[in-house]
Amino acid sequence: MWRLLLVLAATAIPCRGAPDAAESMAERAVMVRDQIVRRGIEDPVVISAMRNTPRHAFVPESLRDHAYEDRPLPIGFGQTISQPYIVAYMTELIGPRSGMKVLEIGTGSGYQAAVLAEAGVKVYSIEIIGALARRAAEALRDAGYGRVVLRSGDGYYGWEEAAPFDAIIVTAAAEAIPPPLLSQLANDGVLIIPVGPPLGTQYLVRVSREDGRTRTQRLLPVRFVPFVRNGGS
């Protein structure tokens, strides 16, 4: 099933790479103040992670002047890097803490994985588009997030041998929640996923699991790229 496994590092290294230029640090500070905190994000772990993660390192070079704007940006192959607020919101929903094990479905640019790693989370991430997986691996390594573990493959099936996960974040819209992902949640785990058709209304959904039972909450309307399966379905 898996086409590629990328384990970026086995030794302990700092999450953050070389310090950013003062200009980028200032832009991140404004981004966090105006786009994150003022819109209701309160978790200090999330706020710190958003302030310290260099979003510009995960966007195409031609778009880096727009890296800290409040909007998604194209990264090629019909995919996007989510707007900063959505990344912060989805991250806050899982309550990230050091030592948590989190599965991300849809590595894309690598930015969401970097934010999770900055928050002290052990990140496993799956990307179905091999070229994006390789690019994300390079970007994560260059930015200092070398302990993120990546695979290229069909995220519908999750990562069974690494399960259970304290949280699962899906960064593409599925028309229904994949059952394998639910089965890989730890007790008291949480799944965050956008659900809905590609051209219709999508909602961000939070699924919590306790004592084998699941509870589903529909949160806010969103617009994500479609959940891609092997064979393009």
Side-chain angles (χ1 to χ4, degrees):
M1 179 175 68
W2 306 110
R3 298 194 301 271
L4 174 67
L5 172 62
L6 298 167
V7 181
L8 298 185
T11 57
I13 60 173
C15 275
R16 228 171 299 151
D20 296 322
E23 181 180 358
S24 296
M25 294 177 68
E27 287 180 318
R28 283 203 301 281
V30 172
M31 177 193 79
V32 169
R33 183 193 67 200
D34 294 347
Q35 302 174 34
I36 308 302
V37 175
R38 286 183 180 171
R39 296 179 70 179
I41 301 300
E42 298 179 344
D43 189 326
V45 173
V46 176
I47 292 169
S48 177
M50 296 298 295
R51 184 178 292 119
N52 291 324
T53 306
R55 189 172 187 253
H56 66 273
F58 298 93
V59 303
E61 189 171 355
S62 61
L63 295 173
R64 287 186 177 176
D65 286 347
H66 305 283
Y68 297 104
E69 296 175 4
D70 188 27
R71 62 186 175 109
L73 296 169
I75 58 172
F77 304 94
Q79 306 300 302
T80 61
I81 178 173
S82 295
Q83 73 184 95
Y85 171 73
I86 289 295
V87 172
Y89 182 72
M90 293 176 72
T91 303
E92 185 173 61
L93 286 172
I94 71 168
R97 292 297 181 268
S98 179
M100 284 179 65
K101 185 164 67 171
V102 177
L103 174 63
E104 178 193 30
I105 306 298
T107 312
S109 68
Y111 179 60
Q112 174 72 80
V115 170
L116 291 169
E118 184 70 46
V121 167
K122 175 65 175 176
V123 186
Y124 293 77
S125 187
I126 302 172
E127 172 56 55
I128 196 168
I129 301 171
L132 277 183
R134 291 187 290 272
R135 187 190 300 168
E138 181 178 357
L140 286 161
R141 183 172 54 245
D142 290 349
Y145 302 97
R147 299 191 71 184
V148 173
V149 185
L150 301 181
R151 268 181 167 172
S152 179
D154 190 342
Y156 180 91
Y157 298 103
W159 199 318
E160 186 174 4
E161 63 268 37
F165 297 97
D166 299 304
I168 299 174
I169 288 181
V170 182
T171 63
E175 298 203 32
I177 299 171
L181 299 184
L182 290 175
S183 71
Q184 292 173 29
L185 270 182
N187 194 43
D188 295 326
V190 61
L191 166 67
I192 309 299
I193 180 172
V195 177
L199 300 178
T201 303
Q202 303 169 0
Y203 284 92
L204 199 62
V205 171
R206 182 183 189 272
V207 183
S208 54
R209 185 178 188 185
E210 184 175 357
D211 297 327
R213 298 181 179 181
T214 58
R215 179 189 178 198
T216 301
Q217 299 172 277
R218 194 171 75 172
L219 302 173
L220 72 164
V222 291
R223 177 58 58 88
F224 278 78
V225 297
F227 192 110
V228 177
R229 299 289 312 280
N230 277 331
S233 60

